[in-house]
Amino acid sequence: MWRRNHSFWPYLLIAPTVAGGAFLLLYPLLKAAVISLQHFRMGELIRGGATLVGLENYAELLSGAEFWQVLLRTLIWTTINVVLIVVLSTGVALMLVRLRRGLRLALMSALALAWATPIIAATTVFQWLFQSELGVVNWLLVTLGLDSFQGYTWFANGTATFAVLVILVVWQSVPFAALTLYAGLTTIPAELYESARIDGGTGPQVFWKVTVPMLRHLFALVASLEVIWVAKCFPQIWVLSQGGPDGATTTLPVYAFKIARVLHRYDLGSAVAMLTVVILAVALVSNLRRMVRS
């Protein structure tokens, strides 16, 4: 009897944490889902009494061209960032394996510091770096002979602002992915690499025939986590450009916030947020199912 009761103790001990975490995660999601089905604007926010309208907010969104433009921009934004993050972090991880202990420790420390930098602080630094008159980037480009960048205003051009945000997000994301992949590389037996080299395998062949198959699940997991991180990016975009210029950097999270904040359409903003959750859930569940099956 004591043994049977004793087996429940671990679950009882973690129950408060699990319950608290579930509440903090599920309550905002359920609240947003309810608001997305209501007529909920400034008046309802103040006096209450929101009325149920069903799927009218979703129909309004899906029938407008702006939502589809933002969705396409979000897909492009996510794809570019995730591909760059996975490629660069793989290169950094492979370099870490080959470095001597001192250099490896120095690089890992630099990665950890970059990863630990607060998002708003890093975004502010990038604002200074790309400032038109006193920014280091313009000064460096002009010094290299590119005189067209003299006083160039990065944040007045949609493509340039988009590029700066990509550099910022990739810089913030590579440390986590690189350190995770490096940890995975250390688990691959050295005998596999030795056998591949004895058989005449070149560096790229060894990577594709040994490293990738051994870390396939880890690559899929890192890519999935980065999709979540990139797709829901909000502070970097809002602080740097607020979705501008002319909506060039407006992704789904920024679009939802702008609708709720500027138009006070909390119902429509919640509908955008719920559609974002659904899109991410479908993409990630299919990827994780494929990973588990393989």
Side-chain angles (χ1 to χ4, degrees), residues 93-277:
L94 292 172
M95 182 172 60
L96 283 171
V97 172
R98 289 163 175 77
L99 288 177
R100 294 181 180 179
R101 182 175 180 181
L103 291 175
R104 185 189 306 131
L105 181 60
L107 181 55
M108 292 177 70
S109 301
L111 291 171
L113 287 173
W115 187 25
T117 303
I119 292 175
I120 302 300
T123 305
T124 304
V125 170
F126 268 71
Q127 281 182 314
W128 294 340
L129 289 174
F130 287 90
Q131 205 270 340
S132 59
E133 297 298 332
L134 303 175
V136 174
V137 174
N138 281 358
W139 170 81
L140 181 60
L141 292 173
V142 171
T143 302
L144 294 174
L146 301 174
D147 295 332
S148 59
F149 286 95
Q150 180 70 45
Y152 183 75
T153 308
W154 291 86
F155 304 118
N157 180 278
T159 303
T161 306
F162 192 94
V164 172
L165 282 166
V166 167
I167 296 171
L168 170 59
V169 171
V170 169
W171 178 83
Q172 291 178 321
S173 305
V174 163
F176 167 77
L179 293 175
T180 302
L181 292 175
Y182 166 70
L185 287 171
T186 59
T187 65
I188 300 177
E191 293 80 4
L192 293 178
Y193 289 115
E194 293 176 3
S195 299
R197 292 190 184 96
I198 290 173
D199 291 338
T202 62
Q205 290 175 333
V206 171
F207 174 76
W208 288 108
K209 298 296 184 181
V210 178
T211 304
V212 172
M214 291 294 293
L215 298 183
R216 182 176 63 252
H217 290 173
L218 188 59
F219 276 114
L221 180 60
V222 168
S224 298
L225 293 175
E226 294 303 335
V227 166
I228 297 173
W229 159 255
V230 172
K232 70 181 185 66
C233 271
F234 173 80
Q236 298 95 325
I237 299 175
W238 189 255
V239 171
L240 205 63
S241 67
Q242 296 190 356
D246 298 325
T249 57
T250 297
T251 57
L252 284 174
V254 178
Y255 184 53
F257 182 76
K258 289 171 73 172
I259 290 176
R261 182 174 184 256
V262 177
L263 303 178
H264 302 294
R265 291 291 306 274
Y266 306 109
D267 46 8
L268 207 60
S270 296
V272 175
M274 293 309 301
L275 287 173
T276 304
V277 171

Side-chain angles (χ1 to χ4, degrees), residues 29 39 43 62 71 95 109 177-178 192 263 289:
L29 185 63
H39 182 279
L62 297 177
L71 176 60
M95 182 172 60
S109 301
L192 293 178
L263 303 178
R289 284 181 60 186

